[in-house]
Amino acid sequence: MAWSRAIVYSVLSARLWSPTNAEYIWPNEDIDEVEKILFEGDNPFDGPGSGFASILGDCHGLIGTPSDPLGRSLGAEWLRNSYHDMATANVHTGTGGLDASIVFEMDRAENVGQAFQETFDTFKGARNSRASMADLFAIATVMALGDCSDGKVIIPFRGGRVDAVGPGPSGVPEPQQDLATHTESFANQGFNVTEMIALVACGHSIGGVHGVDFPTIVPNPPDSGTDNTVTFDTTTDNFDNFVLANLKILHISAKEFVANVSQNPLAFGQNETTRSDFRIFNADGGDLISQMAASQDFFLSTCTTMLERMLNTVPRSVKLTDVIKPASVKPRKLFLTVNADGTLFVNGIIRITDTVLGSSGSQVTIHPVSRLGKPLPIAIGTTKRGFTGGCGFTNCGPDYTYYEFNTTVSAKDGISSFTVETKDSSTGKVTTYSNGGAGFPFSDDIQPIISQSNQTIITIDGTDHLQLNITAAVLNAEQFTDISLIVPQPSNVTAPISPWVQDRVSLKPSHKIQGTSFTIYTGTWQSNSAAISHPFDVVATGPTRTVSSLFNSWQDIPFV
């Protein structure tokens, strides 16, 4: 079986995004980063076109257009990548699945084509210690299905996938294999014969076979300047919002097969040996494919279920999170500066969903709390950071407004947390968001001082190195025996991906700020290249406790 740039077209109203019932408690290291990648898309901080949904654009994305002679589809490549990564799973032994081992397996004949390297190149810069490559591959597939179907295919996303450290076994189904081999392969993946038929039908509802990759299936004339793509049916990339048009589009792939008029080269191609879809679709006598052709709802519900199962096939040792839904209120970029006059300047950004804001907008007020629980001067949020259209395609999630805030408090009082209050401009209704009752944590025990830190590139022996110069404020520094800057780095820089290790640099005391209990610490970390930077931590460890400021973004550090 070849999932050559296939893309699925399905919809279930019950699967569309809806606000979560359980309150999202922030921070949550297991889901915060993937929640941002999945639901924010473009935002005011990362610049236009930074979200992966924007890279997609449509079914073809930035790679081409529907008239592209190469016939390649970026969204379809993302789906094909995930299937091939998952396809060597063995549910009987509990090994394999969606684990990003595909990045070590691109030279295999079963993984022919550019889809895998292109997908990896697109996502490798977003991988970090809180977003595995395997999770990014799954997010890519969720986005591809949602974007290419104009929001009619929404797969609930669970995080927590763990990246492999090397290649897995071979065994991705190939078109020339017989039905018995395919049946055994899908059984190892956890799918019975009926489910095998469904998964192939869903995966091949849109997409095609490229002659440049499969010349025995689709002749590829030399020097043609194209991939010589033959699509699975006559409606490639033809997604429509009208119900009647959707009925026609969604049925046509299965109906064409049932009527024996399909152009699918894996069903009725010139090479009988590689007619894998024909063998698979007839594995039950044609019963399931006939049902899928006859009922749109059945087709859609079956595809949604099967593709979700595909993404959630992981090694037995991996435990996925609950379905991740967007937080209604979520802090972003919380900063603190210790002033010479004995005060703290506190500022940050609050991301709020459109489901929380009233129809005419809301007034947003931040209520900080001191270390001892005393109310501090309030801050009024402003919308200077503007608005983002969520994750970039219909039904994937809410829209957001970003509210900036700042306030000045006594360094003696300090700050420990805050709550967020919204007041509907039209009804006057006031709602307080307390993050599960304890408030949103904002500790002043240790914080990098962004305005006094910087990053630069230095050249040593002809090689560029990325350098981070950090200034941090530490409260009651005498309680700690070690104060460090930690930057996670790959354990094997020559591998496509590898586990993260902590690169630690001890920070040194600079001076104590008169009239306060804060001491300023400084330090420098230097990479082995000018590679993409990983979020950093500052951590203070002592005999009785450890305090930290985690996952700070290099983007916030001035470049000099």
Side-chain angles (χ1 to χ4, degrees):
M1 186 193 91
W3 280 55
S4 301
R5 282 91 178 187
I7 199 69
V8 173
Y9 195 90
S10 64
V11 58
L12 257 189
S13 59
R15 298 287 187 177
L16 300 183
W17 171 83
S18 60
T20 179
N21 294 323
E23 186 172 359
Y24 185 135
I25 305 300
W26 181 89
N28 184 325
E29 294 181 22
D30 292 334
I31 65 175
D32 283 341
E33 181 71 357
V34 291
E35 188 262 6
K36 177 176 77 73
I37 294 170
L38 184 64
F39 290 113
E40 283 197 40
D42 289 343
N43 60 63
F45 318 110
D46 301 328
S50 56
F52 293 118
S54 294
I55 296 174
L56 264 173
D58 56 26
C59 273
H60 276 74
L62 299 182
I63 285 181
T65 66
S67 60
D68 179 5
L70 292 179
R72 304 204 324 264
S73 166
L74 183 61
E77 287 187 349
W78 292 2
L79 175 58
R80 184 181 186 228
N81 178 81
S82 286
Y83 175 73
H84 278 241
D85 188 27
M86 181 283 302
T88 56
N90 189 317
V91 297
H92 311 296
T93 61
T95 57
L98 196 53
D99 60 2
S101 63
I102 190 76
V103 304
F104 302 100
E105 303 160 358
M106 297 179 191
D107 58 347
R108 296 176 179 174
E110 64 192 34
N111 294 327
V112 67
Q114 300 180 56
F116 314 109
Q117 187 64 53
E118 287 172 346
T119 302
F120 177 52
D121 289 344
T122 299
F123 283 86
K124 63 184 179 182
R127 178 179 181 261
N128 56 52
S129 58
R130 293 189 182 182
S132 68
M133 185 58 69
D135 267 352
L136 292 174
F137 284 165
I139 289 173
T141 304
V142 170
M143 289 183 170
L145 295 170
D147 193 274
C148 294
S149 67
D150 193 26
K152 299 177 179 67
V153 180
I154 304 297
I155 303 295
F157 179 79
R158 299 175 187 269
R161 292 166 189 81
V162 177
D163 290 338
V165 297
S170 60
V172 178
E174 298 184 75
Q176 75 278 5
Q177 294 169 338
D178 60 23
L179 182 60
T181 302
H182 283 148
T183 302
E184 181 181 6
S185 177
F186 276 87
N188 286 336
Q189 299 165 31
F191 303 103
N192 62 29
V193 171
T194 302
E195 293 163 340
M196 171 182 69
I197 297 168
L199 194 56
V200 174
C202 297
H204 288 175
S205 64
I206 294 180
V209 177
H210 299 254
V212 68
D213 299 330
F214 297 94
T216 62
I217 303 174
V218 176
N220 191 52
D223 304 320
S224 65
T226 75
D227 277 3
N228 196 29
T229 302
V230 176
T231 58
F232 291 124
D233 61 34
T234 57
T235 59
T236 297
D237 295 333
N238 185 14
F239 296 102
D240 197 314
N241 291 331
F242 294 96
V243 174
L244 291 179
N246 282 337
L247 287 171
K248 180 180 178 182
I249 292 167
L250 290 165
H251 285 160
I252 193 164
S253 179
K255 281 189 171 180
E256 284 182 356
F257 176 82
V258 172
N260 287 347
V261 296
S262 175
Q263 66 186 47
N264 181 351
L266 297 182
F268 298 104
Q270 63 172 7
N271 188 340
E272 185 173 349
T273 303
T274 56
R275 293 179 185 172
S276 54
D277 281 12
F278 183 89
R279 293 188 289 271
I280 289 172
F281 291 165
N282 280 297
D284 66 347
D287 289 345
L288 180 63
I289 201 71
S290 296
Q291 293 179 60
M292 296 180 81
S295 169
Q296 173 186 250
D297 290 341
F298 180 75
F299 178 87
L300 298 175
S301 62
T302 300
C303 288
T304 302
T305 299
M306 298 310 300
L307 290 165
E308 183 179 3
R309 279 185 54 191
M310 181 190 83
L311 293 183
N312 293 343
T313 300
V314 295
R316 186 179 296 159
S317 58
V318 174
K319 179 176 175 54
L320 297 180
T321 68
D322 292 337
V323 172
I324 296 175
K325 296 186 178 181
S328 298
V329 175
K330 185 177 181 180
R332 292 284 307 272
K333 301 181 182 296
L334 302 180
F335 302 133
L336 178 150
T337 302
V338 185
N339 300 317
D341 63 358
T343 62
L344 304 179
F345 179 73
V346 176
N347 64 300
I349 292 168
I350 306 298
R351 187 197 79 183
I352 301 182
T353 69
D354 59 350
T355 56
V356 165
L357 303 176
S359 58
S360 59
S362 294
Q363 176 179 301
V364 175
T365 306
I366 288 79
H367 295 268
V369 177
S370 74
R371 297 185 209 107
L372 297 179
K374 182 178 77 172
L376 297 172
I378 65 171
I380 304 298
T382 63
T383 58
K384 290 182 180 179
R385 288 286 182 173
F387 163 86
T388 181
C391 41
F393 52 87
T394 307
N395 291 326
C396 62
D399 295 331
Y400 299 103
T401 302
Y402 297 85
Y403 290 84
E404 290 186 321
F405 74 91
N406 67 77
T407 188
T408 300
V409 304
S410 165
K412 183 177 180 180
D413 289 332
I415 185 172
S416 63
S417 65
F418 61 89
T419 58
V420 177
E421 177 187 278
T422 62
K423 181 178 180 180
D424 190 297
S425 301
S426 57
T427 66
K429 179 182 178 181
V430 174
T431 306
T432 298
Y433 297 88
S434 62
N435 199 37
F440 297 93
F442 188 1
S443 172
D444 61 2
D445 285 319
I446 183 170
Q447 288 288 337
I449 302 180
I450 301 301
S451 61
Q452 297 176 26
S453 304
N454 64 72
Q455 58 174 309
T456 189
I457 292 179
I458 62 171
T459 303
I460 302 175
D461 297 330
T463 302
D464 288 341
H465 297 258
L466 195 60
Q467 182 169 293
L468 179 63
N469 305 301
I470 283 295
T471 297
V474 182
L475 179 67
N476 298 322
E478 64 277 4
Q479 298 178 1
F480 306 105
T481 55
D482 180 79
I483 297 169
S484 295
L485 164 67
I486 299 173
V487 184
Q489 292 294 294
S491 58
N492 183 355
V493 295
T494 64
I497 57 174
S498 67
W500 299 99
V501 294
Q502 293 187 334
D503 204 352
R504 181 183 293 263
V505 174
S506 291
L507 300 180
K508 305 300 182 184
S510 172
H511 62 281
K512 189 167 185 177
I513 298 181
Q514 189 172 2
T516 76
S517 298
F518 288 93
T519 302
I520 298 299
Y521 278 71
T522 61
T524 296
W525 175 86
Q526 195 176 95
S527 75
N528 57 9
S529 68
I532 295 174
S533 52
H534 190 289
F536 65 91
D537 307 333
V538 285
V539 179
T541 305
T544 59
R545 67 187 185 122
T546 296
V547 296
S548 59
S549 173
L550 304 178
F551 213 68
N552 298 283
S553 173
W554 285 62
Q555 278 190 319
D556 300 319
I557 306 297
F559 204 98
V560 297

